[in-house]
Amino acid sequence: MELLEQIAKELESGDDKAVGSLTRSALEQKTEASIILNEGLIAGMQVVGDRFRDHEIFLPDVLLAARAMNAGLALLEPLLAESDTPARGKVVIGTVKGDLHDIGKNLVGIMLNGAGFEVIDLGKDVAPREFVETARETGARVIGMSALLTTTMPSMKEVVSLLKSEGLNGTVRTIVGGAPVTEEYARDIGADAYGFDAANAVERVRELTN
Amino acid sequence: MKHTVDIPVQDVVPHERTVLRAMGVPRDREPGEQVARVLEEARDELRSLARPRGIYAEVSPRDFARIYRGDGDNERPNPLESIFPRADHLALFAVTLGAGVSDRIPDLFGEGRLALGATLDAAASESVELAAERLQRVVAGKARPKGGGAHASGRGAPDARTLRYSPGYCGWNVTGQRALFSTLGPEEVGIRLLPSCLMEPLKSISGVMVTGPVEIHEFENDFPFCSECRTKECRARIQSLRHEAPGIRMPTEGNPNGAA
Ligand code: B1M
């Protein structure tokens, strides 16, 4: 089996040690870092994402695959930074103001990362202005917001309004999600997309950036 | 009067199957070797970090009516408004696993230990439910003294059942947390209410424990807000009342199917 294919397969089975050592071998064979990333790691993660969406595998398997992806990425990142390889696009994510729950947002970040997006994670309790400023400064194309309770959701609307008042609503798109958030709520506040779960969020962000 | 309860940690460690189910893994799926290892590690972390504590206080129907009204944001109609006036006994409660577990989860994510972080998160969510079940047992015991007789005050029929209801569920607006906190004072067991109504530590539950005849707890899930509910847990809870001996279920490590 070709080395890149092997990387993808080991990533799918969540073996971080194998992915690390295969990535090292590929680099020793002078394979370009961006090729290892796209045809090894991201290709493997794409299969993982699809199988997760189709309920063939489940969250623990996805997270083991993500850990394996990170093992490979850690070796590639310094080289990718040098070569300035473009990612699929930058996405700013965070849990909204007043909210401290971040597991859902973290899972969305992991999946977006696995799909090749550069994720700028602002953490939790993020003020509306911080989302907007970060997107402007980094040139991010999407802002992703997560909330746990209905009481913290209104902050999502503030971000959408702020983007509008700053004239950024055409360039920076928004996606919202979290346990109490619904498709209808996303529509009501003028967000560009709603993500039901982490796999769905990746699909929606792909649509927004295409 | 308020009572605080220290809950033994071994009583609130969920079974492996329960954790997997909480992570969306179907019942019949055997975990692979790596997943099983992470599961055991998460349960060990839980055993060493969780400090389950609860607080409860009996309230009169009149006082509860005021607390339940809260900021006046409840959906109308809603099930609890017709349940609690028929109850024999009402007790406000709050329960937590303490800050250790809730703080450890984001730390694990920060360290890149994603699988362990997410598994501990799911295990802790199940665990705090078990802690609430444990506290519910204590409250049910007070509301329905042993021997099947009625409570000294004449309340608590021998076939009475205790169920808990929480702000943020079944039309009780989550802003109801404010009135609940100002009466109960869960700060005593280390739970803080943020202005957004979020409780810190994250792995905490609050609400009211309602004891009364089985039929008072029964309602159809056809309220307008039911269509937006993601859990539909009320069905299983109500069903369990008819199939169980008086009292409540206590899922244990050995009984993965006990959990609601
Ligand atoms: C950027 O784009 C995107 C796209 C997708 C995005 C996204 C961003 N962010 C998230 N997603 C999506 O992808 C992620 C991965 O699949 C998902 O992220 P989540 O974060 O949702 O998913 C987590 C990985 C796992 N899921 C969860 O952790 C939430 C699951 C449910 C069942 C739930 C749980 C487990 C818990 N809870 Co509670 N809890 C519910 C939830 C109902 C439900 N079925 O969703 C919810 C969130 N809880 C609720 C409530 C009310 C409460 N809970 C409470 C407590 C708890 C537990 C401690 C028992 C436990 C853990 C909570 C935690 N997160 O740590 C209380 C609050 C806790 C606090 N600290 O203040 C309490 C207030 C109840 C009480 N009075 O005690 C409800 C909120 C409703 C509201 N009105 O706001 C609720 C929706 C249940 C309901 N009524 O239907 C998706 O939402």
Side-chain angles (χ1 to χ4, degrees), chain B residues 39-54:
Chain B
L39 260 174
E40 212 27 64
E41 219 182 316
R43 292 167 81 237
D44 283 344
E45 289 264 351
L46 189 68
R47 278 186 203 100
S48 74
L49 294 171
R51 298 282 173 276
R53 292 194 82 195

Side-chain angles (χ1 to χ4, degrees), chain A residues 13-14 56 58-61 63-64 66-67 70 98-101 103 106 110 124 148-152 178-179 181 194, chain B residues 20 23-26 29 34-35 38 105-106 109 112 114-115 117-118 121 173-175 194 196-198 200 202 228 230:
Chain A
S13 64
E56 287 172 20
F58 302 93
L59 190 58
D61 311 296
L63 292 164
L64 289 168
R67 182 180 68 175
N70 285 347
D99 209 321
L100 302 177
H101 137 278
I103 177 103
N106 289 343
I110 289 164
K124 47 198 172 190
L148 176 74
L149 295 181
T150 38
T151 44
T152 59
V181 183
Y194 160 71
Chain B
L20 286 175
M23 297 181 85
V25 179
R29 182 68 70 110
Q34 296 205 62
V35 172
V38 173
I105 295 161
F109 270 90
L114 314 174
D121 182 83
N173 196 282
V174 72
T175 54
L194 304 182
S196 59
C197 291
L198 201 75
E200 208 179 17
L202 209 52
E228 280 183 13
R230 284 200 180 191

Side-chain angles (χ1 to χ4, degrees), chain A residues 101 104 145-146 149-150 178-179 195, chain B residues 125 167-169 199 202-203 205-206:
Chain A
H101 137 278
M145 295 167 270
S146 182
L149 295 181
T150 38
Chain B
S125 293
Y169 282 82
M199 288 179 281
L202 209 52
K203 301 300 177 189
I205 298 178
S206 64

Side-chain angles (χ1 to χ4, degrees), chain B residues 44-112:
Chain B
D44 283 344
E45 289 264 351
L46 189 68
R47 278 186 203 100
S48 74
L49 294 171
R51 298 282 173 276
R53 292 194 82 195
I55 183 168
Y56 69 94
E58 187 178 348
V59 280
S60 67
R62 206 172 127 187
D63 284 344
F64 184 69
R66 177 187 52 78
I67 295 162
Y68 187 56
R69 216 167 22 249
D71 294 356
D73 297 326
N74 294 344
E75 305 281 346
R76 300 294 304 274
N78 65 64
L80 193 51
E81 66 187 2
S82 53
I83 293 173
F84 82 80
R86 293 183 285 152
D88 298 331
H89 183 273
L90 298 166
L92 298 179
F93 79 95
V95 66
T96 184
L97 295 186
V101 184
S102 292
D103 292 349
R104 180 76 177 132
I105 295 161
D107 286 352
L108 286 169
F109 270 90
E111 291 165 18

